[in-house]
Amino acid sequence: MSLPPLVEPAAELTVDEIRRYSRHLIIPDVGVTGQKRLKNARVLCVGAGGLGSPALMYLAAAGVGTLGIIDFDTVDESNLQRQIIHGVSDIGRSKAESAAASIREINPLVNVEIHNTALDRDNVREIFAQYDLIVDGTDNFATRYMVNDAAVLLGKPYVWGSIYRFDGQASVFWAEHGPCYRCLYPEPPPPGMVPSCAEGGVLGVLCASIGSIQVNEAIKLLAGVGEPLVGRLMVYDALEMSYRKIKVRKDPNCVLCGENATLTDLMEDYEDFCGAVSVEAQEAVVDSTITAAELKEWQDAGKDIFLVDVREPAEYEIVRIPGATLIPKGEILSGEALAKLPQDKQVVLHCKSGVRSAEALAALKAAGFRDAVHVQGGVLSWIKQIDPSLPAY
């Protein structure tokens, strides 16, 4: 369905703006009026990472008058495979500052507002209220639900995107005209069910594919052209090179935007709601957690342990802790790997950061491996505390 323009047009375009945006101006559906609307628009991009990079660059090139960037992270070498708004010289620099510098190079006519802070329950409403439209480039469920809830409570539309390995999704959520994110996903997935990009990987160019779709939707909303993805979920498979659209209906029983909504304010704890680690895993790690330094001490002392790496084979190929045997978490959770584990040695589990190994530990405890432990911080802690020469990923 077509929707009215989200913003009013600016008073005029300067001679420089007419020259710069001439290819937009000659498109009948955009024209001078549409470009004036873009100039008058205020768009916030949540995250300057994989999706935020192409989104910010194309929003700037398109002439969106004010771009807000919220990101508290710093640029890491592993980001450069997909976060194209940053460069080698930006490593260690604030992502928000780095992105702002790139935007100014692309289009000095754009006003950039930096929010170099973590988005949380205390500031999300104040920050969102300053913008007409939100582009969501987040990579975790807790922030996604918070972005959705704040947008609905403020009556703001937002463009959502998600990426994983070769798969991408995009939609527009605007409770006034269609469903919200909770209508599509009323509950977050169980802890550990959906790996993050850091755990499962993502094809770098997929970020550009989904990020550019997000910008396309943003422009349509701001200028009031075309049919935005309100009430539709676009699913992209980069391996099959296929796109498909799925209808998403507004849920009359949605706790946030339904007819009898019960969620009338932001939740107290989104991390708890999304369960970064299951209750079983939280219980399992109590008194069953060791540090990377303790693991090294055990190895040096010749302690009789069986070290298990619960990551995926591709991760194991990149970097591994010496002496570890690869048994992916899925094989432990299914019970398939239990026969491979010795009964006469203490089992020590590790993953990349400690989340997956905690889930696997819970499964082992339930199967009778009472003295099993896991390594807090996993491979990342091993690299930091024991062997900085190993590649972080």
Side-chain angles (χ1 to χ4, degrees):
M1 61 177 174
S2 58
L3 296 172
L6 191 57
V7 296
E8 293 298 315
E12 61 179 6
L13 296 176
T14 66
V15 173
D16 288 342
E17 289 169 334
I18 291 172
R19 281 197 295 261
R20 176 178 285 267
Y21 308 125
S22 62
R23 299 304 187 272
H24 273 177
L25 302 183
I26 59 178
I27 301 174
D29 288 344
V30 180
V32 172
T33 301
Q35 193 62 49
K36 286 180 178 179
R37 293 187 193 281
L38 295 182
K39 178 180 179 178
N40 208 29
R42 296 177 56 85
V43 175
L44 175 69
C45 193
V46 182
L51 291 175
S53 289
L56 285 165
M57 294 169 78
Y58 270 106
L59 287 167
V64 171
T66 299
L67 280 178
I69 308 169
I70 180 163
D71 200 313
F72 69 97
D73 201 4
T74 56
V75 180
D76 180 80
E77 187 177 11
S78 66
N79 301 149
L80 304 183
Q81 163 257 7
R82 64 202 177 281
Q83 299 180 18
I84 58 172
I85 203 166
H86 313 296
V88 172
S89 62
D90 296 312
I91 292 175
R93 187 181 185 187
S94 155
K95 282 187 179 179
E97 295 284 354
S98 170
S102 296
I103 289 171
R104 295 184 185 108
E105 279 292 309
I106 293 170
N107 190 350
L109 303 179
V110 171
N111 176 45
V112 184
E113 296 182 353
I114 297 173
H115 305 276
N116 195 0
T117 184
L119 191 68
D120 57 33
R121 188 183 188 278
D122 296 328
N123 63 21
V124 62
R125 284 197 193 213
E126 178 186 353
I127 293 173
F128 278 19
Q130 303 171 40
Y131 297 91
D132 303 304
L133 176 67
I134 314 299
V135 175
D136 182 13
T138 57
D139 61 357
N140 66 86
F141 289 102
T143 309
R144 286 174 185 167
Y145 278 98
M146 182 174 63
V147 167
N148 175 79
D149 295 357
V152 171
L153 293 171
L154 291 170
K156 304 276 184 183
Y158 79 99
V159 186
W160 172 79
S162 176
I163 50 176
Y164 178 67
R165 291 185 175 170
F166 294 94
D167 301 318
Q169 299 180 0
S171 189
V172 173
F173 296 111
W174 194 356
E176 184 178 334
H177 297 283
C180 76
Y181 182 76
R182 285 182 182 269
C183 296
L184 177 62
Y185 298 115
E187 299 286 340
M193 179 67 71
V194 181
S196 67
C197 289
E199 295 173 340
V202 61
L203 185 69
V205 72
L206 182 68
C207 302
S209 300
I210 300 302
S212 63
I213 289 171
Q214 289 182 279
V215 175
N216 186 63
E217 293 305 302
I219 290 173
K220 287 156 60 178
L221 289 166
L222 296 170
V225 299
E227 295 190 13
L229 283 172
V230 175
R232 295 179 295 163
L233 174 68
M234 194 224 66
V235 180
Y236 172 53
D237 183 332
L239 279 182
E240 296 292 332
M241 201 60 212
S242 64
Y243 291 87
R244 60 191 178 100
K245 285 181 288 188
I246 301 170
K247 280 191 175 182
V248 181
R249 302 186 186 281
K250 193 176 184 69
D251 182 2
N253 298 314
C254 176
V255 297
L256 183 66
C257 71
E259 297 169 1
N260 300 298
T262 56
L263 187 61
T264 58
D265 198 358
L266 296 173
M267 301 179 73
E268 289 294 331
D269 193 333
Y270 284 90
E271 292 286 349
D272 184 58
F273 170 67
C274 292
V277 178
S278 68
V279 173
E280 292 80 7
Q282 292 177 33
E283 294 174 349
V285 301
V286 175
D287 298 325
S288 296
T289 299
I290 65 171
T291 65
E294 287 175 310
L295 172 60
K296 184 66 166 62
E297 290 175 4
W298 286 8
Q299 290 179 326
D300 291 345
K303 185 171 182 178
D304 198 16
I305 63 173
F306 188 70
L307 181 61
V308 179
D309 187 333
V310 304
R311 298 174 300 155
E312 295 301 308
E315 297 176 273
Y316 186 75
E317 288 299 316
I318 296 171
V319 60
R320 68 193 70 169
I321 295 178
T325 298
L326 176 66
I327 304 179
K329 182 190 77 171
E331 295 182 18
I332 294 175
L333 297 187
S334 69
E336 176 186 347
L338 295 181
K340 302 178 184 178
L341 300 176
Q343 298 287 339
D344 58 344
K345 295 183 179 182
Q346 184 173 17
V347 176
V348 179
L349 306 174
H350 82 80
C351 61
K352 180 179 181 178
S353 62
V355 175
R356 283 175 285 177
S357 59
E359 298 291 345
L361 180 64
L364 286 192
K365 294 273 191 182
F369 291 82
R370 298 299 180 187
D371 65 344
V373 297
H374 90 126
V375 180
Q376 184 179 36
V379 169
L380 295 180
S381 288
W382 180 271
I383 293 172
K384 184 176 181 179
Q385 297 178 25
I386 310 301
D387 191 353
S389 68
L390 293 175
Y393 70 103

